[in-house]
Amino acid sequence: MQSLIFSAVLDAIAALKSASGNLPNNLLRQVQAIHGNVTMADLPKELQDAIAASTRAAFAGLLKEGYSIAPRDAGPARPQMRQGEVVARGVDRPSRPPARGPRSDGPRGPRGDRPGGGRPGGGAPRGPRGPRGPRQG
């Protein structure tokens, strides 16, 4: 992969040099004209041809190494399932039991609430927690 990119850059530099007629001032102007928003049509014809040739060579090299190449709008290809492989459909994490809401069963107090004022433990309010005394009984 690195060698493909390296050779493409070297081909582009050689094309710029030949497009400038090996004149340093023309080469400098052409290099300075290249920026982030440059289009293919703005580049010299020699550089356009070098980019097209190196792109074809890069794709051919990637295909030769076993990479698959598809158009952008084709979407990702689904790999074939291997025997015994399990695929979770539509779930990215293990499923959890549904969250429990307030219970609808049990007695209600005179104001419609549960005994214990709706506290999580129910029952009568408790005092401060501390050591218990000896058991009686």
Side-chain angles (χ1 to χ4, degrees):
M1 179 74 94
Q2 184 180 8
S3 64
L4 295 173
I5 294 172
F6 186 71
S7 65
V9 170
L10 289 179
D11 291 344
I13 291 171
L16 275 175
K17 285 175 78 175
S18 68
S20 68
N22 291 326
L23 298 173
N25 288 342
N26 289 345
L27 178 62
L28 184 60
R29 280 190 207 105
Q30 288 178 352
V31 169
Q32 288 177 340
I34 299 172
H35 51 81
N37 293 329
V38 72
T39 63
M40 189 74 155
D42 296 334
L43 300 174
K45 179 69 174 144
E46 291 86 356
L47 183 56
Q48 291 178 17
D49 294 340
I51 290 172
S54 63
T55 303
R56 279 192 297 273
F59 276 109
L62 289 172
L63 288 172
K64 189 172 91 174
E65 290 179 14
Y67 291 94
S68 64
I69 301 165
R72 180 180 297 184
D73 54 340
R78 290 183 57 185
Q80 294 291 329
M81 283 183 48
R82 293 182 291 263
Q83 185 174 355
E85 187 176 12
V86 177
V87 177
R89 302 205 183 270
V91 182
D92 290 340
R93 61 179 187 262
S95 62
R96 291 188 240 166
R100 294 182 62 186
R103 288 196 265 163
S104 62
D105 58 326
R108 303 230 178 249
R111 291 179 293 160
D113 57 351
R114 295 177 197 259
R119 293 182 45 243
R126 297 182 190 166
R129 295 185 183 227
R132 293 185 178 172
R135 287 192 177 183
Q136 297 179 7

